[in-house]
Amino acid sequence: MKSLFSIFVAAVLFVASSSVYVVNQWETGVVLRLGEIVKADVEPGLHFKTPFINNVRKFDSRLQTLDAAPERYLTSEKKNLEVDSFVKWRIKDVEKFYTTMNGDNRLAGMRLGQIVKDGLRAEFGNRTVKEVISGERVEIAQKIKETTAAAATSFGIEIEDVRIKRIDLAQDISTSVYRRMEAERNRVAKDLRSKGAEAAEKIRADADRQRVVILADAYSEAEMLRGKGDATAADIYAKAYNQDPEFYAFYHSMNAYQSSFKDKSDVMIVDPKSDFFKYFNQSGK
């Protein structure tokens, strides 16, 4: 009797547990009866269902991110660009989402990713590399968001945002661009160096010219001063000579003797009766 009662209680508990389900705050759900939706957009909380006949599928209603791998797209110039983008989305209509995507987030991500790729391919195909890199990525992202949002509505999905994270040139294009940039920088540097060398030559030539002018002016002034000094000295000598010609001749001879005989090793072969020894000859008288 006790065993039958225990079995009955266990069966009741099993049926009761199968009749109760909980939807969390970040979830939404649908109630299915033999695979057919009988109730959609089940709100968070404690709910009851008919056991064995009804079952519940719950889905995350929070904002989700689709971050696909970078893809290559051709510009209007047939140049390859590698674009990295992401999509922010959430389930808006759970009944449509379950019907169209079978409630599969992976399948929804694939469909959204393809829509975004198609939109990016169309937008980049109408623009040049310069237009894309120079600042039109915001406009492109906005257009992709509008296109994706319109298509995702039929899936029960709301598109919150579409962003382009990075746009890179393909390796061959990057190498070509860097080479052109390097050549341009080298050209500018060469031009600046040539202008600098030209300016340096002008400064050097002007400095040399000023040096020549300064030296010439200094030499001219020095010669003028020297001429004035010689004239003054000659005038002084002339006046002194006129005052006592004999003493001036004697003094001049003494200076000549001092200069000639200042070293004992000096040897002179001169006639003793010459005018040079005039005052020596007179000393013996």
Short mmCIF file of all heavy atoms in Angstrom, two decimals, residues 8 16 34 47 54 95 112 116 118 137 164 176 183 234 244 249 258 279:
data_model
loop_
_atom_site.label_atom_id
_atom_site.label_comp_id
_atom_site.label_asym_id
_atom_site.label_seq_id
_atom_site.Cartn_x
_atom_site.Cartn_y
_atom_site.Cartn_z
N PHE A 8 2.26 6.97 -6.62
CA PHE A 8 1.26 7.98 -6.96
C PHE A 8 1.80 9.40 -6.69
O PHE A 8 1.65 10.30 -7.53
CB PHE A 8 -0.02 7.74 -6.14
CG PHE A 8 -1.06 8.78 -6.35
CD1 PHE A 8 -1.83 8.82 -7.52
CD2 PHE A 8 -1.29 9.76 -5.38
CE1 PHE A 8 -2.78 9.79 -7.71
CE2 PHE A 8 -2.25 10.73 -5.57
CZ PHE A 8 -3.00 10.75 -6.74
N ALA A 16 3.32 17.56 -12.11
CA ALA A 16 3.32 18.96 -11.68
C ALA A 16 4.57 19.69 -12.18
O ALA A 16 4.50 20.83 -12.65
CB ALA A 16 3.24 19.05 -10.16
N LEU A 34 2.47 20.10 -30.23
CA LEU A 34 2.76 19.20 -31.35
C LEU A 34 3.44 19.95 -32.50
O LEU A 34 3.14 19.74 -33.67
CB LEU A 34 1.47 18.53 -31.84
CG LEU A 34 0.70 17.72 -30.78
CD1 LEU A 34 -0.58 17.16 -31.36
CD2 LEU A 34 1.57 16.61 -30.21
N HIS A 47 5.13 30.10 -15.24
CA HIS A 47 3.99 29.79 -16.11
C HIS A 47 3.66 28.30 -16.02
O HIS A 47 4.47 27.48 -15.57
CB HIS A 47 4.31 30.16 -17.57
CG HIS A 47 4.66 31.60 -17.75
ND1 HIS A 47 3.72 32.59 -17.90
CD2 HIS A 47 5.88 32.22 -17.79
CE1 HIS A 47 4.33 33.77 -18.05
NE2 HIS A 47 5.65 33.56 -17.98
N ASN A 54 2.09 20.07 -24.58
CA ASN A 54 2.75 21.34 -24.87
C ASN A 54 4.22 21.29 -24.45
O ASN A 54 4.57 20.62 -23.46
CB ASN A 54 2.07 22.49 -24.13
CG ASN A 54 0.67 22.74 -24.63
OD1 ASN A 54 0.29 22.23 -25.68
ND2 ASN A 54 -0.11 23.51 -23.89
N GLU A 95 7.69 34.90 -32.61
CA GLU A 95 6.93 33.97 -33.45
C GLU A 95 7.50 33.93 -34.86
O GLU A 95 7.71 32.85 -35.43
CB GLU A 95 5.46 34.40 -33.49
CG GLU A 95 4.57 33.42 -34.26
CD GLU A 95 3.10 33.80 -34.18
OE1 GLU A 95 2.77 34.78 -33.50
OE2 GLU A 95 2.29 33.09 -34.80
N LEU A 112 21.80 37.10 -41.60
CA LEU A 112 22.15 38.50 -41.41
C LEU A 112 23.52 38.82 -42.00
O LEU A 112 23.71 39.87 -42.63
CB LEU A 112 22.14 38.85 -39.92
CG LEU A 112 20.78 38.91 -39.23
CD1 LEU A 112 20.96 39.18 -37.74
CD2 LEU A 112 19.91 39.99 -39.84
N VAL A 116 24.36 41.66 -44.86
CA VAL A 116 25.35 42.72 -44.65
C VAL A 116 26.44 42.66 -45.73
O VAL A 116 26.85 43.70 -46.27
CB VAL A 116 25.98 42.60 -43.24
CG1 VAL A 116 27.15 43.57 -43.09
CG2 VAL A 116 24.94 42.89 -42.17
N ASP A 118 26.18 41.49 -48.78
CA ASP A 118 25.63 41.97 -50.05
C ASP A 118 25.55 43.49 -50.07
O ASP A 118 25.84 44.14 -51.09
CB ASP A 118 24.24 41.36 -50.28
CG ASP A 118 24.31 39.86 -50.53
OD1 ASP A 118 25.41 39.36 -50.87
OD2 ASP A 118 23.27 39.19 -50.38
N ARG A 137 32.71 56.04 -44.40
CA ARG A 137 32.34 54.76 -43.79
C ARG A 137 31.09 54.89 -42.92
O ARG A 137 30.32 53.94 -42.81
CB ARG A 137 33.50 54.20 -42.97
CG ARG A 137 33.90 55.02 -41.76
CD ARG A 137 34.93 54.28 -40.93
NE ARG A 137 36.16 54.12 -41.66
CZ ARG A 137 37.17 53.34 -41.23
NH1 ARG A 137 37.05 52.67 -40.12
NH2 ARG A 137 38.28 53.26 -41.92
N ILE A 164 31.33 49.56 -39.13
CA ILE A 164 32.53 49.10 -39.82
C ILE A 164 33.71 49.37 -38.89
O ILE A 164 34.02 50.51 -38.58
CB ILE A 164 32.72 49.83 -41.17
CG1 ILE A 164 31.55 49.51 -42.10
CG2 ILE A 164 34.04 49.44 -41.81
CD1 ILE A 164 31.56 50.28 -43.40
N SER A 176 51.89 48.87 -52.84
CA SER A 176 51.94 49.89 -53.90
C SER A 176 51.73 51.29 -53.33
O SER A 176 52.44 52.23 -53.69
CB SER A 176 50.87 49.58 -54.95
OG SER A 176 50.83 50.59 -55.93
N ALA A 183 57.95 57.29 -52.25
CA ALA A 183 58.51 58.05 -53.37
C ALA A 183 58.14 59.53 -53.26
O ALA A 183 58.97 60.42 -53.50
CB ALA A 183 58.00 57.48 -54.69
N ALA A 234 107.52 111.68 -40.94
CA ALA A 234 108.46 112.39 -41.82
C ALA A 234 108.51 113.88 -41.49
O ALA A 234 109.59 114.50 -41.51
CB ALA A 234 108.03 112.18 -43.28
N ASP A 244 118.91 120.55 -35.81
CA ASP A 244 120.33 120.23 -35.59
C ASP A 244 120.72 119.11 -36.54
O ASP A 244 120.70 117.93 -36.17
CB ASP A 244 120.54 119.82 -34.13
CG ASP A 244 122.03 119.77 -33.76
OD1 ASP A 244 122.86 119.78 -34.70
OD2 ASP A 244 122.31 119.69 -32.57
N ALA A 249 122.31 113.40 -37.80
CA ALA A 249 123.14 112.45 -38.54
C ALA A 249 123.88 111.53 -37.58
O ALA A 249 124.01 110.32 -37.82
CB ALA A 249 124.13 113.22 -39.42
N GLN A 258 124.29 100.18 -33.81
CA GLN A 258 123.66 99.26 -32.85
C GLN A 258 122.98 98.10 -33.56
O GLN A 258 123.07 96.95 -33.13
CB GLN A 258 122.65 100.03 -31.98
CG GLN A 258 122.04 99.17 -30.89
CD GLN A 258 121.07 99.98 -30.04
OE1 GLN A 258 120.78 101.14 -30.35
NE2 GLN A 258 120.62 99.39 -28.95
N TYR A 279 131.85 108.57 -38.04
CA TYR A 279 132.00 108.99 -36.62
C TYR A 279 133.00 108.13 -35.87
O TYR A 279 133.56 108.58 -34.88
CB TYR A 279 130.64 108.95 -35.94
CG TYR A 279 129.71 110.03 -36.48
CD1 TYR A 279 128.73 109.73 -37.40
CD2 TYR A 279 129.84 111.34 -36.04
CE1 TYR A 279 127.88 110.71 -37.90
CE2 TYR A 279 129.00 112.33 -36.54
CZ TYR A 279 128.02 112.02 -37.47
OH TYR A 279 127.19 112.99 -37.96
#
